């Protein structure tokens, strides 16, 4: 027997490939289920956000833009300290939650990640 697992007279093309192990197939099914569950939760969250939002939540427009720029800019300036990532975007998100409401804050948070 040689180092690559073939006997001396055996040709590599004569080997049959093994089907995927059962653990691999179960893992794929689980990953698909989790992906479907995550997509469903995202769709429900988006629907609730759209239905609960009012036009007044997005006013004044300059405040939404300013908080969005603050969140994105501070996310770009993150620091890592002992395997913990820290950024200043939390401040922008808290301000958006307090001043604008849940739907604009969720949109700013999703855009800044």
């Amino acid at each position: 027997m040689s180092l690559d697992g073939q006997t001396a007279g055996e040709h590599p093309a004569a080997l049959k490939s093994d089907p995927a192990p059962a653990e691999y197939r179960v893992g794929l099914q689980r990953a698909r289920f989790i992906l479907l569950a995550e997509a469903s939760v995202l769709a429900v969250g988006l629907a609730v956000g759209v239905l609960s939002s009012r036009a007044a939540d997005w006013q004044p427009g300059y405040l939404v833009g300013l908080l969005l720029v603050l969140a994105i800019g501070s996310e770009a300036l993150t620091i890592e300290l002992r395997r913990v990532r820290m950024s200043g975007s939390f401040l922008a998100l808290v301000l958006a939650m307090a001043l604008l409401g849940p739907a604009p804050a969720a949109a700013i948070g999703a855009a800044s990640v």
Side-chain angles (χ1 to χ4, degrees):
M1 178 162 262
S2 66
L3 293 178
D4 61 355
Q6 298 175 6
T7 57
E10 198 173 346
H11 190 272
L15 295 176
K16 293 182 180 178
S17 63
D18 291 330
E23 296 87 18
Y24 182 71
R25 287 188 300 250
V26 170
L28 281 178
Q29 290 173 349
R30 185 176 299 144
R32 287 183 185 135
F33 175 75
I34 290 172
L35 181 63
L36 180 65
E38 289 173 345
S40 301
V41 169
L42 178 64
V44 169
L46 285 174
V48 168
V50 166
L51 293 175
S52 67
S53 179
R54 300 173 308 211
D57 290 343
W58 298 88
Q59 299 299 327
Y62 65 86
L63 181 62
V64 176
L66 179 68
L67 291 174
L68 178 64
V69 168
L70 177 64
I72 291 173
S74 61
E75 190 68 34
L77 300 172
T78 59
I79 60 170
E80 190 167 337
L81 196 69
R82 294 187 186 175
R83 295 173 41 184
V84 175
R85 224 176 117 231
M86 297 171 50
S87 73
S89 64
F90 182 70
L91 177 63
L93 292 176
V94 170
L95 284 172
M97 285 183 246
L99 299 175
L100 298 172
I108 290 172
S112 68
V113 172

